[in-house]
Amino acid sequence: MKNADPIWDHVDRHRDDFIALSDQVFDTPETLYAEFESVAEHKRMLQSQGFKLTENAAGIPTAVIGEAGDEGPVIAILGEFDALPYLSQAPGVAEHQPLAEGGNGHGCGHNLLGAAALLAATAVKDWMAENGIKGRVRYYGCPAEEGGAAKTYMVREGLFDDVDAAISWHPATFTGVNEARSLANTRIDFTFHGKAAHAAGAPELGRSALDAVELMNIGVNYLREHMPDSARVHYAYLDAGGVAPNVVQAKATVRQLVRASSLPELADLVARVRNIADGAALMTGTQVTSQVFSGVSNLLGNRPLEEAMQHELEKLGPVAFDDADQTFARDIQTTLTAADIATTFKRIGAKPVKDLALCDFIAPLDRHSDGGEGSTDVGDVSWAVPTVQARVATCAIGTPFHTWQTVAQGKAPAAHKGMIYAAKAMAATACRLVENQPLIAAARDTHQEHLEQTPYTCPIPDDVRPPV
């Protein structure tokens, strides 16, 4: 059947090259701010497609921007390509089978995310050139979404100041417009400075930094009873003071990851966590210093853009999976729990469908989602410019992300089908924006209303630089 929208043809024309790009990034999984091979592949593709490059965006060596077109509205399409640690997994295998013990893996599908976003930008570029349409499409190759907040730094440096609208997507277990719910967060490293001493011979002379960290964690644990239900505080020891128990630990560092549903709520919770750190230092006779590592804002929705993207998803219909895709998805589902599978349906406010292996529907725009929320640095882009995202089915229903099961499906034909579909949805949405100035105006007005109620404050202090 002939494609119903000319932009789909532009996507299909390049599909094989961009599937190869996705697979290449999958094969070289790199974590936050170390995505050198991945960004190199994206740069090569940008250059081959005739984009004008801006390298080292916001002073980040693994961030790149590619632009095409002139005059007219500026449409940003956001891509990512970072992986996660300790998720090495053989692709296409429905059992836990690491390729390298302790190795990295694309447990959130960012190999697909970046390739589809760049494919969408390429299709829009070709469509504008073919039809003599004024406008600029800009691909943002963004590293370190997983905990590094690169987009927050890019927003802070003004790299979105002239953008009219931003579009992105994320691999998922269902297809629909992304509900604009996420948690603002910040990661702060608290380092306690004490005094070393012989732990048996003269413990009274020591002041334990490790004790201070443990007391801080206890204080935060008691805080959890008295914070909003949606808020979260997690921690990880970065430095436990060494491996010698007979030495009073003179220095120890803990990273506290504080999440809340909004920027004002986050600021309040961070202040309380800082007070707990000060109290722990006082109780132990130590001193505490802190350093913000990263921070992201909660997502802002934009109804005009969401309605426009929903229309494009409904034109496309569900992702067309075949029998082989269904078979592999069912194999993956045998490794999951009933709760895993139920979670997919909870997230779109739907009743579970028995024996459904891959999503065969478009989730309604107005739905009630149930379940916990994560965080993303797309949130800061959504405060800078009107932003919309899609969720597109690329893996078996029930697949929990940040797991080996996600990695196992990252090069599967079903993932490639979802990736091409996502590129069509994003490219079509971008075309509607370029063609429809009133839509851009409506999106801008909606965005401005949000900012008038709650002005944006970057969650990363001005003096904190990207950790590169």
Side-chain angles (χ1 to χ4, degrees), residues 399-414:
T399 303
F401 277 59
H402 294 203
T403 65
W404 70 261
Q405 287 94 338
T406 305
V407 187
Q409 298 172 82
K411 290 177 74 175

Side-chain angles (χ1 to χ4, degrees), residues 323 325-335 355-357 396:
D323 290 344
D325 299 327
Q326 300 283 354
T327 296
F328 184 51
R330 289 191 179 93
D331 290 342
I332 290 291
Q333 285 185 324
T334 64
T335 73
D355 299 326
L356 186 63

Side-chain angles (χ1 to χ4, degrees), residues 47-125:
Q47 290 171 326
S48 72
Q49 297 299 331
F51 285 86
K52 178 184 176 182
L53 264 63
T54 299
E55 301 185 60
N56 299 312
I60 302 170
T62 54
V64 64
I65 299 173
E67 182 175 309
D70 58 83
E71 303 178 15
V74 179
I75 307 301
I77 301 182
L78 312 179
E80 298 164 11
F81 34 71
D82 57 321
L84 287 155
Y86 308 114
L87 284 180
S88 177
Q89 167 66 28
V93 178
E95 62 179 356
H96 190 205
Q97 187 176 310
L99 292 173
E101 289 297 333
N104 304 329
H106 274 282
C108 213
H110 292 180
N111 60 303
L112 300 163
L113 198 168
L118 182 45
L119 173 54
T122 299
V124 174
K125 170 186 67 69

